[in-house]
Amino acid sequence: SIHSPFSCLIQHHTSQTIMPKDLLHPSAADERRKHKLKRLVQSPNSFFMDVRCPGCLSITTVFSHAQSVVVCGSCAVMLCQPTGGKARLTEGCSFRKKPE
């Protein structure tokens, strides 16, 4: 066989290495853990939600990262209070994410 200085490069290039992770098909748990701009498809962490008041059972739409106190429109009960990130729901309040 002919030996050239590039023969080791050709052999190394054709050998296949197995990646420990599939980068094209990440799991849903891996995608949720990543920063919103580093995901395969960029998506925000925030969402709108319907919050049910524990007193009068009326539904109010609240932003997940609300920066002010949200009160019920009919009975004036506090539904959530702001934190540094996501808003904290008051005990007894139930919520569901609004469909996109």
Side-chain angles (χ1 to χ4, degrees), residues 8-20:
C8 64
L9 293 176
I10 293 170
Q11 290 173 354
H12 179 70
H13 180 68
T14 57
S15 66
Q16 292 186 355
T17 57
I18 298 173
M19 298 285 287

Side-chain angles (χ1 to χ4, degrees), residues 43-73:
S43 61
N45 295 328
S46 57
F47 53 91
F48 286 94
M49 54 188 172
D50 287 332
V51 178
R52 186 181 302 267
C53 175
C56 65
L57 301 178
S58 65
I59 294 177
T60 307
T61 300
V62 178
F63 187 59
S64 63
H65 291 65
Q67 294 182 346
S68 61
V69 173
V70 178
V71 294
C72 179

Side-chain angles (χ1 to χ4, degrees), residues 64-67 81-88:
S64 63
H65 291 65
Q67 294 182 346
Q81 55 190 8
T83 62
K86 288 188 177 179
R88 183 178 312 132

Side-chain angles (χ1 to χ4, degrees), residues 31 34-46:
E31 282 293 292
K34 286 184 182 178
H35 186 269
K36 63 183 180 179
L37 297 177
K38 302 282 185 181
R39 294 180 184 138
L40 201 58
V41 176
Q42 295 179 5
S43 61
N45 295 328
S46 57

